[in-house]
Amino acid sequence: MSQIDSLPPLREVIAQHQLSAKKTLGQNFLLDLNLTAKIARQAGALQDCDVIEIGPGPGGLTRGLLAEGARRVIAVEKDERCLQALSEIERAYPNRLTVLNGDALTLNPFEHTQNPTKIVANLPYNIGTELLIRWLNPSSWPPAWSSLTLMFQKEVAQRIVAQPGGKAYGRLSILAQLKCEAKIVMSLPREAFTPPPKVESAVIHISALPRPKFAVDEKRLEIIVAKAFNQRRKMLRASLKGLTSDLETKLQAAGVAPTERAENVTIEQFCKLSLTV
Ligand code: SAM
């Protein structure tokens, strides 16, 4: 196995700093530095980019990002036990790593970044979806990031890229695909992690488009999509009842049969509905 840097192997780092994995912090570590470098490469060229990493842990992906040439990495880690190991990486890559010790749900790493900024992370599974929804829903668009390269449980990754016509298609697919291109770029078996999680994982790459793909009233879209998928087994004429007068006429004008169910409605059709319903 080729070396990606001059720092010690991650197993040694973990033993030296006694970083036994904590379940409550979603700690499933990647210890193969060739794998973390490969994940870093999924984010595209990093040389002229700042990278935000959530949850560096012992620093496997951090080292991958730095070895692949990231201009700077701003890493947010909640677990104080990891700070010593991360400061050793800071010393090996002078002026290129900033570690913020705190909760990614409350800290704002964008205060420390310069454009262009990419987000790359092996996310703690318990806050992954919440962070993604926040990144996809900033106060203005385009967002402060140009792309997201994120490890999720495979089932969540499949929901993000899902197309109409199946159970995986829903609010997350629409949120992710209206203003972004999203694709699964890697699948990882459970054994790639220490300790292995209960389910398989996948890396998803999401790149921000300059504007939504279709004309849309985003506030209204949120309401319609929430109502439609909260009762996804019902026909739209029932699940959207009470939202507007002439519901059936407006559904038909958007090319949607009133007897259709949410999971068969395309993003373009939902956007059309947002302008009338
Ligand atoms: N990046 C490392 C790797 O790939 O081996 C660790 C990934 S592990 C799945 C998730 C990391 O997120 C852990 O280091 C954990 O301590 C950290 N973490 C958990 N909750 C956090 C939070 N709210 N804010 C910041 N970091 C958090």
Side-chain angles (χ1 to χ4, degrees):
M1 198 178 282
S2 58
Q3 288 260 103
I4 68 161
D5 58 31
S6 57
L7 289 157
L10 283 157
R11 279 191 200 284
E12 276 178 31
V13 173
I14 285 176
Q16 190 192 342
H17 299 285
Q18 298 176 13
L19 300 178
S20 54
K22 282 191 184 169
K23 219 174 173 180
T24 49
L25 285 170
Q27 291 183 336
N28 300 101
F29 300 134
L30 292 167
L31 303 188
D32 177 348
L33 289 164
N34 290 299
L35 180 61
T36 61
K38 185 173 174 190
I39 294 169
R41 286 196 292 277
Q42 305 307 315
L46 297 175
Q47 280 70 15
D48 297 320
C49 294
D50 283 1
V51 175
I52 292 174
E53 185 193 1
I54 306 300
L61 182 55
T62 321
R63 286 164 63 175
L65 290 163
L66 290 163
E68 288 299 316
R71 182 172 63 193
R72 260 168 18 108
V73 176
I74 315 299
V76 183
E77 175 56 60
K78 192 172 178 179
D79 187 352
E80 282 185 12
R81 296 178 309 155
C82 299
L83 300 182
Q84 193 65 43
L86 293 169
S87 68
E88 285 160 17
I89 306 175
E90 270 179 88
R91 279 199 292 279
Y93 292 94
N95 303 319
R96 289 177 58 202
L97 174 61
T98 302
V99 178
L100 308 175
N101 180 210
D103 188 341
L105 292 174
T106 52
L107 280 178
N108 179 9
F110 290 103
E111 284 172 1
H112 302 264
T113 56
Q114 286 179 346
N115 283 346
T117 297
K118 295 180 173 183
I119 301 180
V120 184
N122 173 15
L123 290 171
Y125 73 95
N126 47 340
I127 59 165
T129 311
E130 175 158 1
L131 285 172
L132 175 66
I133 290 171
R134 288 187 189 188
W135 291 326
L136 292 173
N137 250 334
S139 50
S140 63
W141 198 269
W145 48 269
S146 58
S147 69
L148 310 172
T149 307
L150 305 171
M151 180 88 69
F152 279 104
Q153 293 156 277
K154 197 166 202 172
E155 172 268 331
V156 178
Q158 282 165 341
R159 285 201 278 134
I160 294 167
V161 301
Q163 298 298 307
K167 271 209 275 201
Y169 181 66
R171 294 171 72 174
L172 202 53
S173 336
I174 293 169
L175 183 62
Q177 294 173 43
L178 175 62
K179 293 184 283 189
C180 301
E181 297 296 351
K183 60 179 178 201
I184 291 177
V185 288
M186 276 174 79
S187 289
L188 283 92
R190 298 166 57 245
E191 308 77 59
F193 301 83
T194 304
K198 286 207 177 74
V199 292
E200 280 178 58
S201 300
V203 177
I204 191 137
H205 183 74
I206 296 177
S207 46
L209 298 171
R211 60 193 71 79
K213 289 176 189 161
F214 310 106
V216 62
D217 175 336
E218 287 190 55
K219 289 259 168 307
R220 202 62 188 155
L221 178 74
E222 227 175 283
I223 295 168
I224 294 168
V225 167
K227 244 178 150 346
F229 283 100
N230 278 347
Q231 298 182 294
R232 61 187 297 146
R233 298 305 310 147
K234 283 198 175 171
M235 295 176 188
L236 291 168
R237 68 177 174 207
S239 59
L240 299 185
K241 200 172 168 188
L243 268 190
T244 178
S245 56
D246 293 334
L247 175 63
E248 297 213 5
T249 315
K250 289 172 181 170
L251 284 167
Q252 272 154 349
V256 183
T259 52
E260 198 53 274
R261 291 179 173 80
E263 69 186 31
N264 295 318
V265 179
T266 64
I267 299 178
E268 183 171 15
Q269 287 171 327
F270 271 120
C271 289
K272 276 189 188 155
L273 289 173
S274 77
L275 301 174
T276 57
V277 168

